[in-house]
Amino acid sequence: MRAFEIRQPVVDAIPVVCSIPHTGTYVPDGIPERWTSDHIRSLPMTDWHLHHLYDFLPSLGVTSIHATWSRFLCDLNRPPEPRALYPGRFETGIVAERTFWGDVIWDSYPARQEIDQWKAQVHVPYHEALNALLDETAARFGHCVLLDLHSVASKASEVHPELEYEIYLGNRDGDSCADWLIDCTHELMEAAGLKVVRNNPYKGGYITDTYGRRDDVDALQIEMCQRVYMDENEPGAALDDERFGKARHMLEGILGSLATEASRKIR
């Protein structure tokens, strides 16, 4: 199974690339038997259906890349070698040992050799592809916006209490993008009726931190509560839920306006 899928624009391209690193659900044969419970085998922590929710991006001129593998095998939004993204706070590594709610994932944690294999199969090619997309876009337009798209269950976890807001914008406390990008996104989200907060508790992970350091990229993480677009108790039913269609339509309007502003800013 290839580590990612890329969706190219179907209209004139604009200087925006979207990454969806946690929507993947592929798990190699033999792995689920090594997990501790049926709950773990149901893949909690997945950003359910985001590649479907954002399937309108090509019609806006946006290039997107999304993961196909489950983050339980290789988390694309974590550093390839151990280092804290949020010092002093609970966080998961490139292969998580526990879920956000404290559940042990593995009967026996994978050996270094196996983790290195997954990194080579999944982490390396995804980031090579994402970096190439940013290179191509920045070379064409002179600059590029990167939106790293996520969703999260609302219930309390080791990371946060029950989530009050619907949208959590992260730009590493101002280090990964220009003010106009987070300001514009915040205003558009609020105008659509969503409650928005910045950099608390989600500041942006490895992708935002890494690519936001580039001089030719403004990177912003958008974390959305899953209740916005799905029944969090029935993740498999989301595509049949009326709220999914409403959320998709709302997000298409928001990101369409944001894309227009990005194209105006980057000329």
Side-chain angles (χ1 to χ4, degrees):
M1 169 68 74
R2 191 183 188 200
F4 60 87
E5 297 291 340
I6 292 174
R7 291 172 174 164
Q8 298 287 355
V10 296
V11 297
D12 289 344
I14 64 171
V16 179
V17 173
C18 287
S19 164
I20 313 176
H22 289 157
T23 194
T25 57
Y26 172 73
V27 178
D29 291 343
I31 295 297
E33 291 79 6
R34 297 166 57 186
W35 288 338
T36 57
S37 67
D38 287 340
H39 172 64
I40 298 301
R41 286 184 276 275
S42 73
L43 301 180
M45 292 172 45
T46 300
D47 291 7
W48 290 106
H49 311 295
L50 282 198
H51 60 301
H52 296 302
L53 188 67
Y54 289 105
D55 65 5
F56 57 80
L57 291 171
S59 68
L60 301 179
V62 174
T63 304
S64 69
I65 179 172
H66 68 264
T68 57
W69 284 54
S70 169
R71 67 186 296 177
F72 279 172
L73 278 297
C74 188
D75 193 327
L76 298 165
N77 203 30
R78 297 294 182 269
E81 300 300 333
R83 69 175 172 86
L85 287 168
Y86 313 101
R89 196 186 87 178
F90 173 84
E91 56 183 288
T92 55
I94 192 168
V95 178
E97 298 181 50
R98 294 189 294 146
T99 70
F100 293 145
W101 304 280
D103 307 298
V104 176
I105 296 171
W106 299 89
D107 279 324
S108 179
Y109 190 72
R112 179 71 189 190
Q113 182 178 3
E114 192 168 28
I115 293 173
D116 286 345
Q117 178 184 339
W118 293 336
K119 284 164 55 177
Q121 285 180 277
V122 182
H123 201 278
V124 170
Y126 188 93
H127 283 279
E128 286 180 346
L130 176 55
N131 202 55
L133 291 176
L134 295 173
D135 285 346
E136 293 164 9
T137 305
R140 179 174 180 180
F141 295 98
H143 203 81
C144 179
V145 165
L146 170 61
L147 302 178
D148 198 42
L149 304 175
H150 296 261
S151 71
V152 61
S154 306
K155 64 183 179 180
S157 72
E158 301 277 353
V159 178
H160 53 70
E162 185 170 357
L163 293 173
E164 172 187 358
Y165 293 83
E166 283 100 20
I167 301 295
Y168 296 80
L169 302 179
N171 69 344
R172 303 297 295 179
D173 291 319
D175 288 341
S176 70
C177 76
D179 289 344
W180 74 264
L181 178 56
I182 194 168
D183 289 345
C184 181
T185 306
H186 192 145
E187 291 166 8
L188 289 168
M189 294 284 189
E190 283 196 336
L194 297 166
K195 294 174 66 176
V196 184
V197 69
R198 304 184 187 190
N199 291 306
N200 182 26
Y202 294 103
K203 301 177 184 294
Y206 174 72
I207 289 172
T208 307
D209 184 51
T210 299
Y211 299 105
R213 296 175 186 270
R214 291 179 48 154
D215 292 336
D216 55 357
V217 174
D218 282 304
L220 176 67
Q221 178 173 299
I222 302 177
E223 187 86 53
M224 177 171 53
C225 276
Q226 291 176 345
R227 66 175 185 265
V228 172
Y229 69 94
M230 61 178 271
D231 181 347
E232 294 184 3
N233 296 314
E234 296 187 39
L239 295 177
D240 299 322
D241 194 316
E242 182 180 357
R243 93 178 84 177
F244 185 89
K246 290 181 177 179
R248 184 185 179 281
H249 179 73
M250 174 185 65
L251 290 167
E252 185 172 10
I254 291 169
L255 291 188
S257 296
L258 183 60
T260 298
E261 181 65 8
S263 296
R264 188 182 71 82
K265 287 282 187 180
I266 302 170
R267 293 180 177 176

